[in-house]
Amino acid sequence: MDAFIRFTNQTQGRDRLFRATQYTCMLLRYLLEPKADKEKVVMKLKKLESSVSTGRKWFRLGNMVHALQATQQSIRATDPVPRLCLTLASLNRVIYFICDTILFVRSVGLASGINKEKWRTWAARHYYYSVLLSLVRDLYEISLQMEQVAHGRAKREKSPSREPLGYSVADEETEWLQSFLLLLFRSLKKHPPLLLDTVKNICDILNPLDQLGICKSNPGIIGLGGLVSSIAGIITVAYPQMKLKTH
Amino acid sequence: MDAWVRFSAQSQARERLCRAAQYACSLLGHALQKHGASPELQKQIRQLEGHLSLGRKLLRLGNSADALESAKRAVHLSDVVLRFCITVSHLNRALYFACDNVLWAGKSGLAPRVDQEKWAQRSFRYYLFSLIMNLSRDAYEIRLLMEQESSACSRRLKGSGGGVPGGIETGGAGSPGTPGGSLPQVALKLQLQVLLLARVLRGHPPLLLDVVRNACDLFIPLDKLGLWRCGPGIVGFCGLVSSILSILTLICPWLRLKP
């Protein structure tokens, strides 16, 4: 219980739990909607989802300052590609939080002249850019890791090799794909924070892709993606060593 | 910027900010009503207050566990009175948060058959008990400190050769007053007690903060339960003051009263 309390004492911890709940409701609604006698449950899930989603907005107020601080930190990264990607991603997040705050002000009724659709599209677009740039950074880091692992293996294989050279040319392409996937798997296994961050970003990008109409999917997939990314976020909050660090 | 990030990273801090905003809205709404502002603006402020209240209920989901954990820790205190007061206060707070969660479920449509009035009254009752326990604990701590202070004072007076008339000795350690106690002497004693109290509170800011905070908080359930209707203005003002003081204890942890 002590660990639970320490976890929920952090705003991000609570927010991730609520986010997981929100997307679980979305997923369950998608799964239960076709069933005939589950209308009441579906209604309750919808109400829970909407009230948790509204309540989470209170968690996001003031997060643009967090994003500004993250921008400051990412400018100091040593490697140029992560530095560029992360700085741009953080800047996009700042703009996303500004749009989100404006939408929030509209939703509590303080400023009724705001065009909700326009600002929602802007918010989705900048969130999309920010997640995309984070993914680019993840792919760059994965490629670095794969290079490292490949070099390590090459060094080890300079010793007398015992690999049979008797495979046909037709198998070479599948062999290449297989060895590429094996290398990818090995590098991600060595670097769990990178794996977690990549999975999180891939799942996070599904929602804006759907909202912006680039790649329409169904609420079930978005719900599942949101749930998985929330769980990944919960792991990074509960175990800070699993957070991907910038060098 | 760094300070804000560290502050807002605690979920309690955000909840306190929302609480301060909620009571500020309540106070503002009351002031606007008195000065005859437009009904449109008043409606907006009431709506914002409603949103803040519901948002805070969501932010508080899970606080029962926190209160129970604090009660568990308080059971191990050495002082009997403190142990009793603090444990009972935390238990009542846990029950208050549980009722609050039920109210949230009702308001958000998950459990539409919840009797909002009944559960709201219950939750305020538990809140009132918890505040009374807190104030009892504060009174006990003040009494202990006053006794300490007065015995220290009398030791200093004895040490300096006792060049002060005996009547100045405070009654904190139970010194016998003149039998029958004439009015000026009672008034003098009272004045000395008040001075001692002021001295003790000035020397212990966390205790002073806690007393003021609990006293301000007390008006809220008293008003909501109908025991002492003070009006939305006073409730809003007291709520705002107590929220600001608790934000202060979050920013400066040394101002928090430790058992």
Side-chain angles (χ1 to χ4, degrees):
Chain A
M1 183 133 110
D2 208 25
F4 173 72
I5 289 180
R6 257 178 293 126
F7 178 76
T8 53
N9 265 344
Q10 302 178 60
T11 309
Q12 239 202 335
R14 265 192 215 216
D15 183 49
R16 295 288 130 192
L17 272 176
F18 286 141
R19 189 170 190 253
T21 314
Q22 183 185 337
Y23 283 108
T24 313
C25 289
M26 198 189 260
L27 180 64
L28 285 174
R29 248 195 325 135
Y30 175 75
L31 292 172
L32 293 176
E33 215 149 23
K35 303 222 165 101
D37 55 344
K38 302 276 184 196
E39 282 128 12
K40 266 181 125 177
V41 181
V42 168
M43 190 56 140
K44 289 220 168 120
L45 284 171
K46 191 162 174 184
K47 287 206 173 121
L48 178 61
E49 189 193 324
S50 95
S51 60
V52 171
S53 157
T54 317
R56 270 186 63 222
K57 293 197 190 354
W58 293 105
F59 280 121
R60 289 205 291 258
L61 278 183
N63 269 6
M64 67 186 84
V65 181
H66 292 245
L68 275 172
Q69 202 198 38
T71 316
Q72 266 188 353
Q73 278 174 351
S74 50
I75 288 178
R76 279 180 255 144
T78 46
D79 208 332
V81 175
R83 183 166 62 211
L84 181 71
C85 288
L86 284 177
T87 312
L88 288 176
S90 303
L91 283 173
N92 274 296
R93 271 180 91 83
V94 172
I95 303 175
Y96 161 68
F97 282 128
I98 293 176
C99 298
D100 192 54
T101 308
I102 292 175
L103 282 169
F104 170 77
V105 164
R106 162 84 161 77
S107 74
V108 293
L110 279 178
S112 37
I114 293 175
N115 184 347
K116 214 157 97 161
E117 273 317 306
K118 184 175 87 167
W119 286 96
R120 203 177 275 176
T121 314
W122 277 19
R125 199 179 305 146
H126 287 283
Y127 184 61
Y128 168 65
Y129 291 153
S130 133
V131 178
L132 193 66
L133 286 161
S134 305
L135 254 179
V136 166
R137 179 267 183 122
D138 284 335
L139 292 173
Y140 173 74
E141 297 264 359
I142 288 177
S143 70
L144 280 184
Q145 279 287 315
M146 281 168 72
E147 254 183 64
Q148 264 185 15
V149 173
H151 278 168
R153 287 201 69 210
K155 259 190 262 180
R156 262 178 281 137
E157 268 159 28
K158 280 214 169 85
S159 52
S161 97
R162 31 175 191 75
E163 268 183 53
L165 298 164
Y167 48 83
S168 70
V169 175
D171 291 330
E172 256 184 42
E173 275 191 22
T174 44
E175 277 289 332
W176 179 87
L177 187 64
Q178 222 176 34
S179 61
F180 175 80
L181 287 175
L182 202 62
L183 193 61
L184 179 68
F185 173 71
R186 279 216 177 96
S187 16
L188 286 176
K189 204 172 78 169
K190 271 184 76 175
H191 208 46
L194 182 58
L195 171 66
L196 212 64
D197 200 59
T198 313
V199 166
K200 192 165 84 85
N201 286 325
I202 291 175
C203 292
D204 271 339
I205 211 162
L206 295 171
N207 199 356
L209 280 178
D210 180 79
Q211 274 187 325
L212 294 169
I214 300 173
C215 174
K216 283 240 170 251
S217 52
N218 55 53
I221 295 191
I222 297 177
L224 185 64
L227 177 61
V228 170
S229 105
S230 305
I231 291 176
I234 287 172
I235 294 176
T236 51
V237 174
Y239 303 104
Q241 65 266 21
M242 292 294 271
K243 206 174 158 80
L244 188 61
K245 310 267 191 301
T246 36
H247 313 290
Chain B
M1 194 152 83
D2 205 28
W4 162 257
V5 169
R6 261 179 291 125
F7 175 70
S8 64
Q10 301 175 64
S11 61
Q12 226 200 348
R14 286 205 193 209
E15 199 261 318
R16 293 284 127 184
L17 277 174
C18 287
R19 186 177 194 250
Q22 184 186 336
Y23 283 110
C25 282
S26 169
L27 186 60
L28 190 65
H30 174 75
L32 287 175
Q33 199 179 30
K34 271 183 83 174
H35 295 275
S38 72
E40 188 62 43
L41 184 62
Q42 280 186 48
K43 193 174 120 186
Q44 266 187 337
I45 298 282
R46 262 201 306 272
Q47 224 183 4
L48 180 61
E49 196 189 328
H51 280 285
L52 277 164
S53 166
L54 194 59
R56 266 182 71 214
K57 288 203 196 318
L58 182 82
L59 289 177
R60 284 198 296 229
L61 282 181
N63 271 10
S64 304
D66 195 19
L68 280 174
E69 189 68 26
S70 310
K72 232 169 59 173
R73 275 200 301 264
V75 168
H76 300 293
L77 287 173
S78 44
D79 193 320
V80 177
V81 177
L82 281 184
R83 196 191 314 164
F84 175 73
C85 286
I86 299 179
T87 312
V88 174
S89 159
H90 281 306
L91 285 174
N92 275 300
R93 259 182 70 225
L95 288 167
Y96 161 66
F97 284 130
C99 294
D100 198 57
N101 293 345
V102 173
L103 280 172
W104 174 80
K107 280 213 169 109
S108 61
L110 282 176
R113 276 173 305 203
V114 162
D115 187 352
Q116 294 275 325
E117 253 322 296
K118 188 174 83 170
W119 282 95
Q121 293 284 310
R122 255 188 215 161
S123 75
F124 282 121
R125 224 175 289 145
Y126 288 127
Y127 187 45
L128 181 67
F129 292 154
S130 145
L131 285 174
I132 290 174
M133 282 290 119
N134 284 345
L135 280 171
S136 316
R137 176 263 183 111
D138 287 336
Y140 176 72
E141 297 247 18
I142 288 175
R143 223 202 78 166
L144 278 183
L145 287 170
M146 276 170 77
E147 276 176 11
Q148 269 182 17
E149 190 71 30
S150 73
S151 58
C153 255
S154 50
R155 269 203 301 273
R156 259 180 277 146
L157 285 172
K158 288 207 175 82
S160 66
V164 192
I168 298 290
E169 263 188 22
T170 58
S175 75
T178 52
S182 59
L183 204 59
Q185 235 172 9
V186 167
L188 187 64
K189 255 190 162 178
L190 203 65
Q191 203 181 37
L192 286 169
Q193 291 281 14
V194 168
L195 282 173
L196 189 62
L197 175 71
R199 196 197 171 101
V200 157
L201 286 176
R202 212 175 49 207
H204 292 89
L207 185 56
L208 174 64
L209 221 67
D210 202 54
V211 169
V212 175
R213 200 161 62 101
N214 288 324
C216 286
D217 273 339
L218 199 62
F219 286 100
I220 302 167
L222 285 179
D223 180 84
K224 294 283 183 354
L225 289 171
L227 295 168
W228 185 10
R229 295 219 174 266
C230 12
I234 296 193
V235 167
F237 177 71
C238 288
L240 182 62
V241 167
S242 88
S243 306
I244 291 176
L245 290 177
S246 56
I247 289 172
L248 219 69
T249 54
L250 283 170
I251 297 176
C252 314
W254 63 90
L255 283 175
R256 197 179 299 180
L257 187 62
K258 309 270 191 303

